[in-house]
Amino acid sequence: MKTVRFIFPLARPYFWYYLAGIILIPPSTYCALAIPRYTGAAVDGLRAGPSGSGAVPAALIGALLLFALGRAVCLFGTRWLIIGASRRFEFDLRNRLFDHLQHLDRRFYDQARTGDLMNRSSTDIDAVRTMAGPCVMYSISTLFMLSLALPLMAAVDGLLTALLLVPLSLLTAAVRLIGPRVQLSHRRAQETLSALSSFAQENFGGMRVVKSFAMEEREIGAFKDLCEVYYQRSLATERVYNYMGPIAGAVGEIAAILLLLAGGGMILSGSFTLGDFIKFGGYQSLLIWPMISIGWVVNQVHRGLASVARLEEVFAARPAVADSGGKSEGGGLAAAVKPEELRGEIEFRRLNFSFNGPPVLQDLSLKIPAGKTVAILGRTGSGKSILASLIARLYAVPDGTLFIDGIDINRIPLASLRQAIGFVAQETFLFSRSIAENIAFGALDRDPLRWKEKASRLAALSRLDKDIDQFPHGYDEIVGERGVTLSGGQKQRVAIARAMMGRPRLLILDDALSAVDSHTEEEILHNLRQAKGDLTVLVISHRIASIKDADHIYVLEEGRIAEEGSHQELARRGGIYTEIFRMQLLAQELEEM
Amino acid sequence: MPPPAFSPHEEDRLAAPLDRRLALRLLRYGLPYRGWMALAVLLVLLVTGLDLAGPLIVKQAIDGPLRQSVAGASTPLPGSGGGGAPASSTASSPMRQLAAWAALYGLVVALYVSLRYGQGLLMSSIGQKIMRDLRLEIFTHLQRMPMSFFNRNPVGRLVTRVTNDVEALNQLFTSGVVTFVADVVVLSSLTLVLFWINLRLALVTLAVVPFLLLATFVFRFFARKYYREQRGHLAHLNAFTQESIQGMDTIQLFVQEAENLRRFAAINGSYLDAFQKTVFCYSVYFPVIEILGASALACILWQGGDGIRAGTLTFGEFYLFWSFLGRFLNPIRDMAERYNVLQSAMASAERIFRVLDSPQTIRSREAAVRPARLRGEVEFKEVSFSYDSPLPPPLREGVDSPLPPPLREGVDADFAVRDLSFRVEPGETVAIVGATGAGKSTVINLLTRFYDPQRGRILIDGLDLRDYHKQALRRRIAVVLQDPFLFSRTVLENIRLGNPEISAEAAMEAARRMQAHRFIERLPQKHEETLKERGLTLSLGERQLLSFARAMAHRPDLLILDEATAHVDTETEKLIQAALQELWRGRTSIIIAHRLSTVQRANRILVLHKGLLREAGTHDELLKQRGIYHRLYQLQFLGK
């Protein structure tokens, strides 16, 4: 029933397609059955009469051709309408799943595996579509074929009909029995293939160890064993799978033998004619595919149901981050907040944050005044990146702990909040599009005409312009999957230009220049300062050089604020900051030796 | 007889030419099984013959025992009572004859079913055997590729060669060649039988075949075109989905959900369009076949009816024509299909052969030295090496012949190490220190012959590294890497690494001496516990102890160790220190040091800086110099 609830609303827009396709099935079946009937009649007519042309009346041949035409038209209509509708159904389902995925939050993606989600959005959708298309078409066609053919056959001879049904129903049973067995066996073979694949992957990945310990020959031996097991299992699958063809062939032949023996006997006794014989043979061959398809449909429905369950799981996931509105302090969404009206003042009030485990941020209170540049310094694992992602609400923020311009962050519409923020994450993710499109990523939907010009202005700001001039296609250069064709520093500079594109009110640089040399970093920071106007900037780094000019610096240690002040104050204090500063000077000194 | 239905379309020839060289090379893999393949062809011929026998038997029955009843009592038949049966015994004898024909039919079917099953299985098993051989050959070839090859080629791509690309060949072997022969045989024998029985009727009936061929090839042409279009859109759709899932943060941060959905829907829409075209092709093709079949039937009725009346055609022959009609369709459809299979298989074959043809660069010479033991004396003589050099040095003919320097002179920045000279005495423990990029790992890479230097020589026990048999030399050396690589096999297997010379007891003894037995004992299956991928269920400290045990169990004469930089808890740190001392005792050890205790205990410290050896001496001597080591000491060792 759950499945019906899932599929029905999706199929509903195509109700008329389905209905029209189904209405065509009975006439289609009728026409198909008419052909053996007319052939039989023609043969019977040949038993007596004068020789010469026109032994079979032209009217009869004409009628037969007309029925064939009718059958053809109906077949076309049924397939085109029903299968076509199922493709549209698939189109809708795909879009809905994608839309849903886009609204799930980071917590979901922290746990989900990409491969698994990909499987659900390809294989599972495919299985559901098969259920909504071919399964519907074949099961209804079979239903009509059986209910129309059997009375016709029984009218000729009831006993013979009953006799022929035996091998035919065996066919259905065989498909039902063999289909799942092939799948099971195939799955076992696939498991071995995936073991084989993991073995190879590990071997290639651990090649240094393999070579260091001269394991090559032994690895080849172990791989050979796996290949042998896979060979055996594949063969086991083939052993079952290969039954299908011969059995389907044999059932047709057995029916033919029965017809020959029983039908032939009745011909001898005079109760049957050759016309009846051919008529029966024709009906028989029309029944073979429907009998196979019953088994096939049942197997497909089994798979489809499992896929529906897997898709429902994804659809059931709800994001914790959404425009639901804060429950405290007045509640409800502050719908009036426009991104350009935000000033960018940030305040953390005694915020605690954890991932179902030890606290990541503890009792954190800090304030970033609008228009100022504030820095957070901390070692790896101090919680500084989480702090940044909370400001963009990538994770759910507890009510009453984080305020932008004095408004609880949960009351600001998510889109407005994020449009007001320019976020440069620690790891740059670029899309496999052109550089210009990557820079203008956040504005692609807004001003489609002017973004190219704007992109080049921002590239200059992030010192990317000279690099781009050297690309063969300039701004139209495609950056490759995840931006592989760019260096780490180039990627980071694209990300900075991208963040500035949307005219943010608040810029967050999370270790954003780690792969850029210190001279270029200096230049970019200078350019940002020049261009910034009343922009609020939050710089997160473990490098003192990147943050020493900030108006205020917080030092984060194990999720708490350990020190704060200006660079001059902190450098003299003799605490963590002083220590980190001393080490970094030393490293710099060493680099110059 | 030339394959009638195999003329490729011009467009296909441009898209993926049928490479004869590739095909021949693939065929060579079938050579070991040529006897079985010949049997498969023989079986195909038999099966085809048996398949056609059924309608022929029914024809014989209709024209034999049933003849009189079929024709109707009113028609006088010439030569009645065929088959030598006397006219008087008509009541029982035709029935008996009928039963005999049915029994023969039954026999034919039984034979047909078993032979067809056997033939299918035989062909599958030949295909699977060839795939198994090919898979093993690729893997074996890859085992002998140099380390630099693995740095260049992503693991995923190599795995694809071994798995998916080989799988793509499956259909070529199982349903490609042999079935193609079968299709040709079926079509030609059908045609021959019909012509033999009645030339005139055959000509009229088979007039439909050219139309059938035409319809099928027009259909195939468009179906293939749209199918390709559809595959292209699907690949695009999947790539887009995957990229979106991986970059979801970015999409959400830039509020691009709506725009992204619009793009997704556009690609999805193109996919739908291509699909609807395919659906349309199928929706048209099946009905057209239906009409063509009915036309042929009409021809049989029209001409055959006249033939029966005129006495030139028997009812049995008429039946045969009717019955063979349906058997023309499948072979014609299959032959068109076969071409597609061939194309995709060729693309995979090409990728596979490209891997098999990639040369193995560092090879051991036949006369190479296979040391039973090493004294453990190591010497670097003015060694320079650059990773950017286009080609590794070619094989050396003799020990003293000069090495060709393929390095570009004057490009100093490329050197990972430059003019590096140092000597390690047997039994000595030497620590190498330096900042990131100083060239420390390069020393390990050269010493283990993952790379050969472009200039200078590396000697072990006075003999050039290149004169040793590579694997034999590596068996005497143990390398412990910074991030220990563990296999997803049992703990014991991770220590022994399949080495038959290490007994389970020896492996556990090594584990005990390396302080690893404590955590091993705590595992549910103890040393038989299978580790997760890369050993990620163990802590870093545990993984290190396990990799120490691995090195210990192999009893190396030379230990090369890259100390881990990451923090471990104090308890584990103590265990590691104790294990380390045990490990390097009594054998030459070269250690890239990151810990104060290690440098303090080393006999000598080499300080590398930007690829050059800048300082050397003991800890105390070097500290007094107040040079590079002094700063490194403050930076690297004091903080920990």
Side-chain angles (χ1 to χ4, degrees), chain B residues 151-224:
Chain B
N151 296 340
R152 272 201 318 273
N153 291 286
V155 169
R157 192 189 297 165
L158 298 178
V159 173
T160 306
R161 296 295 167 272
V162 179
T163 54
N164 296 4
D165 280 335
V166 176
E167 287 298 304
L169 298 180
N170 187 16
Q171 280 204 311
L172 178 67
F173 292 120
T174 48
S175 62
V177 189
V178 181
T179 323
F180 181 75
V181 174
D183 289 339
V184 174
V185 171
V186 169
L187 281 182
S188 40
S189 34
L190 275 176
T191 313
L192 278 177
V193 169
L194 291 187
F195 271 99
W196 177 60
I197 285 178
N198 191 312
L199 184 70
R200 188 184 151 84
L201 187 55
L203 276 174
V204 175
T205 310
L206 295 184
V208 79
V209 169
F211 294 102
L212 214 54
L213 280 173
L214 184 72
T216 302
F217 275 86
V218 169
F219 163 72
R220 270 289 125 210
F221 175 78
F222 284 105
R224 186 159 59 220

Side-chain angles (χ1 to χ4, degrees), chain A residues 459-516:
Chain A
L461 181 133
S462 63
R463 313 293 305 140
L464 193 67
D465 44 350
K466 292 202 183 61
D467 297 67
I468 292 177
D469 287 342
Q470 289 181 353
F471 293 139
H473 302 289
Y475 283 88
D476 293 326
E477 182 89 1
I478 305 290
V479 301
E481 201 180 327
R482 283 180 163 224
V484 283
T485 53
L486 303 186
S487 75
Q490 285 170 338
K491 277 196 273 188
Q492 288 188 333
R493 282 177 283 155
V494 172
I496 288 176
R498 177 172 72 183
M500 291 301 287
M501 185 78 185
R503 289 175 201 277
R505 307 296 306 131
L506 166 65
L507 181 66
I508 299 176
L509 301 172
D510 181 4
D511 223 347
L513 292 162
S514 57
V516 175

Side-chain angles (χ1 to χ4, degrees), chain A residues 217 239 253 589 591, chain B residues 105 117 144 275 610 631:
Chain A
E217 297 307 317
R239 236 171 251 142
E253 303 284 340
E589 215 177 286
E591 185 55 36
Chain B
Y105 198 170
Y117 180 73
R144 290 168 188 153
F275 235 125
K610 297 179 180 170
R631 286 174 179 78

